[in-house]
Amino acid sequence: APRYPRYTRAEVAQHRTPSERVWVTYGTDVFDVTEFVELHPGGPDKILLAAGGALEPFWALYAVHSQAHVLELLRDYKVGELSPDEASPPPGDTGDPFAGDPPRHPALRVNSLKPFNAEPPPELLTQSFLTPNELFFTRNHLPVPAVEPGSYRLRVEGPGGRALSLSLAELRQRFPKHEVTATLQCAGNRRSEMSRVRPVKGLAWDIGAISTARWGGARLRDVLLAAGVRDNTGDSTGDDNEWHVCFEGLDADASGTPYGASIPLKRALSAEAEVLLAYEMNGTELPRDHGFPVRVVVPGVVGARSVKWLRSVAVSPAESPSHWQQKDYKGFCPSVDWDSVDFGAAPAIQELPVQSAITEPRPGAAVAAGELTVKGYAWSGGGREVVRVDVSLDGGRTWREAELGPRPERGRGWAWALWELRAPVPAGARLDIVCKAVDRSYNVQPDSVAPIWNLRGVLSNAWHRVPVTVTR
Ligand code: MTE
Ligand code: MO
């Protein structure tokens, strides 16, 4: 057998672009795939996401790769092998509260490592209707708790001191499993566009703080009824409309304060609202980053209320006292600053407004003359299904209607629509691609960011604009 030179992972990581050569690893083999990049059937942009690192995490996402001929093809590009001491990852340092966080997919764009906050690259976000679990955006405020599923108990407190303590097995067996395909979006999605108007406080999310999964679990309604909560919500003389259901996570800060949030009791008890205590995500148990073993999923509502690593559920006459319910995730007038802000005066964000964004092409890209394909997503809160997406190539002067992709659960408006527009583009043109969505209530997106600017950078849903040039 031929002897190959040995490389470290750090050396491989230096080869990420065609000008530095594109290297990847598979097992302990090192390949120079520079010449293959343009030939990649999935497109050069997709294979470049793996440049400088291992192929396995990417191949695991897309089943087309698990074929013998793909490995065969790769063999021609082998240039080396990993050094023997590169086999195992370095040991984690102790004393770091984040040392127990789980491993993550290398394609994620990391906005903050500790706590971990990351979004999928736009080109992968709209590759599939259901976001693969490994690519689903992650929004953690605190370290990921390590939960032992055998000893896990969910505490459910009804009114009048009645309480339930449910093991994972009891949650699965006592309540029928209900499944919902729902999009989760962080209130801060597209915040970076808002900071370009004026700086805001918060993580600089691009367009990827949104993802879609098929969630499975017990209905929160069923669990609350089992805990003795009475369903008075249809009764206009009852005062249950003003009550709330408060959630607490098992993740806590250095002082022991857990993450928490609440939703109105009326939504929690509504069969149509389909609020879940989810233990499954796309057919597998919840990944640690997404709330293992149990999380709340509130369809149509801002991600912040879908509490992960759920420790307790409590019915209460008041909203959650948590910082994240009271002092964050609220919208304000553009003139409000950190000296004048009164968090008590604004309602907590629940249902989100209509949203859309372009995932392909990317801003500043040079696209080929001929037929251009524009791709993106569109979604609205409250179950208000998207009915139309308009796309302009000239900054909003003229418009065409995009084609909406198939939606598996039409009529239950919890999930996004993926959309596409094909249009001929002339060589040398400068395009200002714009998209805007319309929901079932004919809500539309604002045309610019400045009038919806707010100090926390939430609810950023202006028309998405992507300037590109067409090559000659
Ligand atoms: N739940 C707990 N326990 N801790 C958290 O930090 N983040 C919230 C919510 N639930 C959070 C949480 C926020 S702000 C969002 S947007 C969603 O989880 C993100 O869910 P994901 O990480 O599964 O995408
Ligand atoms: Mo969020």
Side-chain angles (χ1 to χ4, degrees):
R3 284 188 55 87
Y4 285 97
R6 302 291 185 130
Y7 297 106
T8 62
R9 289 195 194 277
E11 285 168 320
V12 175
Q14 283 162 13
H15 299 274
R16 293 177 173 274
T17 61
S19 60
E20 306 157 323
R21 314 287 305 167
V22 177
W23 287 16
V24 294
T25 64
Y26 185 81
T28 53
D29 289 342
V30 179
F31 305 91
D32 178 342
V33 294
T34 315
E35 309 308 326
F36 181 68
V37 167
E38 287 300 323
L39 305 173
H40 184 239
D45 53 335
K46 310 290 188 305
I47 192 173
L48 284 173
L49 292 169
L55 283 174
E56 285 92 334
F58 293 85
W59 284 11
L61 293 174
Y62 304 108
V64 288
H65 293 109
S66 51
Q67 296 173 28
H69 82 263
V70 182
L71 270 180
E72 195 64 27
L73 203 151
L74 200 59
R75 189 176 298 171
D76 297 339
Y77 298 99
K78 181 164 171 176
V79 292
E81 287 172 2
L82 286 175
S83 311
D85 49 330
E86 289 281 325
S88 51
D93 51 340
T94 49
D96 173 0
F98 296 94
D101 272 21
R104 275 98 184 199
H105 199 279
L108 289 170
R109 300 274 156 84
V110 178
N111 293 325
S112 132
L113 204 53
K114 298 175 181 187
F116 190 72
N117 288 285
E119 62 190 293
E123 322 66 313
L124 295 185
L125 186 58
T126 48
Q127 277 282 95
S128 54
F129 186 83
L130 297 179
T131 315
N133 289 357
E134 299 81 354
L135 292 183
F136 201 98
F137 87 94
T138 300
R139 197 333 174 196
N140 294 344
H141 291 85
L142 298 159
V144 176
V147 185
E148 209 280 289
S151 50
Y152 172 81
R153 294 290 180 280
L154 174 65
R155 187 174 165 78
V156 185
E157 289 172 38
R162 211 166 133 181
L164 282 181
S165 171
L166 297 169
S167 70
L168 201 49
E170 285 168 325
L171 189 68
R172 287 171 176 273
Q173 284 151 25
R174 273 185 64 179
F175 306 96
K177 182 167 122 186
H178 188 70
E179 290 186 285
V180 183
T181 301
T183 297
L184 285 189
Q185 182 183 220
C186 184
N189 191 29
R190 301 183 59 198
R191 177 179 283 131
S192 54
E193 290 162 70
M194 217 165 247
S195 348
R196 266 175 243 139
V197 173
R198 249 185 305 150
V200 298
K201 248 186 217 168
L203 294 163
W205 294 108
D206 188 15
I207 61 172
I210 183 167
S211 298
T212 300
R214 185 158 172 82
W215 307 96
R219 282 179 185 265
L220 175 58
R221 171 187 161 83
D222 294 346
V223 175
L224 289 175
L225 293 178
V229 178
R230 287 174 313 133
D231 185 359
N232 283 345
T233 54
D235 173 359
S236 57
T237 61
D239 61 359
D240 281 358
N241 287 358
E242 286 115 61
W243 280 54
H244 302 269
V245 179
C246 302
F247 308 116
E248 275 184 354
L250 287 158
D251 51 336
D253 66 16
S255 76
T257 309
Y259 183 85
S262 62
I263 60 170
L265 176 62
K266 188 176 179 178
R267 179 178 292 277
L269 286 177
S270 157
E272 294 79 57
E274 302 189 87
V275 181
L276 290 187
L277 302 184
Y279 42 75
E280 277 180 15
M281 181 177 183
N282 292 325
T284 65
E285 66 182 20
L286 288 180
R288 287 191 60 212
D289 263 330
H290 300 290
F292 178 83
V294 178
R295 80 174 300 169
V296 184
V297 172
V298 192
V301 162
V302 66
R305 313 300 167 216
S306 288
V307 174
K308 305 192 276 189
W309 313 292
L310 188 62
R311 170 165 77 175
S312 67
V313 172
V315 174
S316 156
E319 284 185 89
S320 165
S322 161
H323 168 86
W324 292 281
Q325 189 76 21
Q326 302 288 339
K327 295 273 159 67
D328 201 353
Y329 298 112
K330 296 185 173 190
F332 295 96
C333 177
S335 64
V336 171
D337 61 21
W338 289 100
D339 294 325
S340 61
V341 67
D342 175 6
F343 274 96
I349 301 169
Q350 294 281 347
E351 293 185 357
L352 284 171
V354 60
Q355 175 69 289
S356 69
I358 297 158
T359 54
E360 286 181 54
R362 297 301 300 145
V367 301
E371 191 181 59
L372 172 68
T373 303
V374 184
K375 286 188 187 185
Y377 63 77
W379 180 75
S380 189
R384 290 177 292 275
E385 204 171 41
V386 164
V387 295
R388 207 182 74 227
V389 175
D390 302 330
V391 178
S392 172
L393 302 182
D394 55 13
R397 282 190 303 128
T398 61
W399 298 91
R400 296 159 213 237
E401 213 176 310
E403 193 179 319
L404 304 186
R407 280 174 281 181
E409 294 178 4
R410 278 312 291 277
R412 286 157 98 198
W414 305 129
W416 62 14
L418 300 184
W419 55 263
E420 211 173 284
L421 179 92
R422 290 167 200 270
V425 292
R430 284 170 181 279
L431 308 177
D432 186 9
I433 313 175
V434 183
C435 76
K436 62 183 176 80
V438 182
D439 75 15
R440 198 177 64 198
S441 302
Y442 282 101
N443 289 310
V444 295
Q445 300 175 242
D447 64 350
S448 55
V449 191
I452 57 167
W453 185 96
N454 60 84
L455 73 174
R456 197 62 176 86
V458 292
L459 306 166
S460 182
N461 72 331
W463 298 358
H464 189 219
R465 292 169 180 273
V466 171
V468 302
T469 53
V470 184
T471 53
R472 293 195 172 277

